[in-house]
Amino acid sequence: MPQPAHSQIRPYRSDDAPALSALYRRSVEVLGPRHYTPAQVAAWASLTPDPEAMHARCAGPGRAALVAVDAADRPVAFAVLESDGHIDLFYAAPEAAGSGTATALLCAVEGEARELGGAALHVEASEGARSLFLKRGFATVARRDFEVGNVAIHNYAMRKPS
Ligand SMILES: CC(C)(COP(=O)(O)OP(=O)(O)OC[C@H]1O[C@@H](n2cnc3c(N)ncnc32)[C@H](O)[C@@H]1OP(=O)(O)O)[C@@H](O)C(=O)NCCC(=O)NCCS
């Protein structure tokens, strides 16, 4: 098995925001086409938070963000947890995909959720993320069909009991 692409998982710092914004877009544009059409990928990528919006998503009230970084402290994956157990963002860089980094990040998110009071974790998982969450004990609640711009796309509401 390949080694995970990260050397540690640490809390978000405000100077991570530009790198996380770029990581989000690269993740969607490179990994998204495995499961979504070019139009769907373009619509999804259009939702990329700019660095200022990314900072608010990561560090706003009731939010905790974890960042998996490589040996040079460059982010290779990140996740944002809200105090009600909602995983708002969960993205791995293409070079980290399939390395076990995202699985380790999800374990760390679960640990963080327990420390924050143990609310049941829930997420809107992309087609590509679904198997990762299933393997960690999440169950699919419903398929969600919606539009971004005028483009139809879908994901899955998933939940893990606390
Ligand atoms: C969703 C996403 C984070 C999942 O990442 P991932 O690459 O599947 O997750 P991991 O890095 O944990 O890799 C797991 C895979 O690597 C394998 N693997 C290889 N080496 C491993 C190791 N040392 N330890 C654990 N797993 C390892 C596992 O067997 C598993 O393979 P499988 O999926 O065929 O069973 C990533 O695909 C992504 O960012 N996608 C685009 C954005 C997105 O969809 N985000 C989710 C929004 S909810």
Side-chain angles (χ1 to χ4, degrees), residues 30-104:
V30 179
L31 300 176
R34 293 181 182 177
H35 301 280
Y36 294 95
T37 66
Q40 289 173 324
V41 170
W44 188 1
S46 78
L47 300 178
T48 303
D50 65 22
E52 192 181 336
M54 182 62 82
H55 178 67
R57 294 278 281 275
C58 290
R63 290 167 175 268
L66 293 174
V67 184
V69 292
D70 66 14
D73 201 42
R74 286 183 298 245
V76 294
F78 73 102
V80 176
L81 175 67
E82 295 177 80
S83 53
D84 66 354
H86 182 238
I87 300 173
D88 181 35
L89 298 172
F90 193 90
Y91 286 84
E95 61 273 18
S99 75
T101 284
T103 301

Side-chain angles (χ1 to χ4, degrees), residues 66 81 105-117 121:
L66 293 174
L81 175 67
L105 183 61
L106 185 51
C107 292
V109 166
E110 291 183 52
E112 182 80 21
R114 278 191 295 274
E115 279 184 24
L116 291 176
L121 285 170

Side-chain angles (χ1 to χ4, degrees), residues 1-5 23-24 26-32 34-36 44 76-78 87-94 96-105 123-133 135 155-156:
M1 247 190 188
Q3 286 298 304
L23 189 160
Y24 179 117
R26 238 162 17 96
S27 178
V28 172
E29 290 182 344
V30 179
L31 300 176
R34 293 181 182 177
H35 301 280
Y36 294 95
W44 188 1
V76 294
F78 73 102
I87 300 173
D88 181 35
L89 298 172
F90 193 90
Y91 286 84
S99 75
T101 284
T103 301
L105 183 61
V123 66
E124 293 82 47
S126 69
E127 195 67 66
R130 195 178 176 202
S131 66
L132 175 77
F133 287 107
K135 282 180 203 149
N155 59 24
Y156 298 90

